[in-house]
Amino acid sequence: MTFEQMLERVRYEGAYPTRARAEQSVRAVLAALGRQLMGDERVELAARLPYEAAAAFTSEPPTTDPLTGWCFVKDLTSRTGGTMATARWDTGTVLHVVAQLVDEELLSRILAQLPAGYALLFGRAELTQAA
C-alpha cells in the first residue's frame, strides 16, 4: 500500500472531509504509537508501513514508560489540541488501517508489548483472563 492509498483508506473509514485532515491524523497517531513501541515490533511495523508513515512512526524515540490505551488517547489529545472524542476517533481509525497492513502474528506481538487498552484501539476485542 502506498502512502496515498493509506490516506484515502483513513479518509474513507474515518469520514474525514479532506485528505489533509486524514494525513494530520495519520501523522499524529503514528508518531504517538512510535513512542510506545520498541524492539523488533517497532522495526517490523515500520517496515510494513509506507515510507512517509514509517517516517512519522519513527520520528521520536520510544518511551521507557508506555501509556495505557486510555492515557495514549489523553496524551494525543494534549499534543494535538483536540478533544478526547476526536483523539479517540483518530486513533481508532488510523490503528484499524494499520492493523490491516500487518499480519495477525505481528499485531498480537504488538498488543502483547503494549499496556492494557490498545486492542480496542486496533479494532480487536480486549480479552482478559478470569481471576
Side-chain angles (χ1 to χ4, degrees):
M1 176 182 289
T2 67
F3 188 60
E4 295 300 320
Q5 291 168 327
M6 182 182 193
L7 292 180
E8 281 307 310
R9 187 171 289 172
V10 167
R11 181 179 178 191
Y12 176 78
E13 290 188 18
Y16 293 108
T18 64
R19 180 190 167 283
R21 178 64 182 92
E23 183 172 353
Q24 179 184 24
S25 295
V26 166
R27 291 186 185 279
V29 171
L30 288 178
L33 181 62
R35 290 188 293 274
Q36 303 305 307
L37 285 176
M38 58 181 65
D40 291 341
E41 290 76 19
R42 180 181 167 93
V43 172
E44 288 181 46
L45 179 55
R48 305 233 178 126
L49 294 171
Y51 174 79
E52 298 88 341
F57 175 68
T58 58
S59 64
E60 295 183 40
T63 182
T64 56
D65 189 22
L67 302 171
T68 64
W70 173 249
C71 290
F72 178 88
V73 173
K74 284 176 47 178
D75 181 63
L76 187 63
T77 300
S78 68
R79 288 175 186 270
T80 61
T83 66
M84 285 289 290
T86 301
R88 172 61 181 92
W89 183 264
D90 292 346
T91 301
T93 301
V94 173
L95 295 184
H96 182 257
V97 171
V98 168
Q100 296 170 5
L101 295 174
V102 301
D103 59 39
E104 198 66 27
E105 188 267 336
L106 176 56
L107 184 55
S108 293
R109 286 190 293 126
I110 288 169
L111 291 173
Q113 184 183 124
L114 295 169
Y118 282 87
L120 290 173
L121 297 175
F122 278 96
R124 288 178 126 195
E126 182 98 32
L127 302 176
T128 58
Q129 293 181 355

